Amino acid sequence: MVRILLVGLMVLGSAVLAAPGRAPVDCTFSNPRYSGNCVERVTPGEKQTPVQACRVVLGCLNDPRCVKTYCNATTIRGGWILESPKPDER
């Protein structure tokens, strides 16, 4: 049951991050246990700021229950810091 709930939340979260008409944002994260920085590209939802969209990913990276893959599929959960959201300039 918990697994089904997590999958449902992941699908819902993906739909929120893929709102049409919004510019993608590069979110940069750091962790002392991860080599270098991690950059993930997300698209803010209709009423999300770039920082809020990046915090969705940050929440997953810091939650040991999150099964989404970020940062080259790292298994490091906890200790992540949001360094910057950078709007796509293309």
Side-chain angles (χ1 to χ4, degrees):
M1 179 69 176
V2 172
R3 188 176 189 109
I4 293 170
L5 179 61
L6 286 175
V7 171
L9 288 174
M10 288 177 4
V11 170
L12 179 62
S14 296
V16 170
L17 291 178
R22 300 291 305 237
V25 176
D26 287 337
C27 306
T28 304
F29 305 95
S30 66
N31 187 307
R33 298 183 303 163
Y34 186 82
S35 178
N37 284 336
C38 163
V39 178
E40 292 289 334
R41 177 165 285 195
V42 298
T43 302
E46 189 174 317
K47 296 185 179 189
Q48 278 184 321
T49 67
V51 172
Q52 289 170 330
C54 291
R55 285 186 179 151
V56 171
V57 176
L58 181 64
C60 179
L61 288 170
N62 285 324
D63 184 350
R65 299 167 296 173
C66 184
V67 295
K68 287 201 79 158
T69 56
Y70 294 112
C71 305
N72 296 315
T74 185
T75 57
I76 299 170
R77 292 293 186 258
W80 289 92
I81 298 168
L82 175 61
E83 297 293 340
S84 67
K86 299 204 183 229
D88 190 5
E89 296 177 0
R90 289 188 232 179

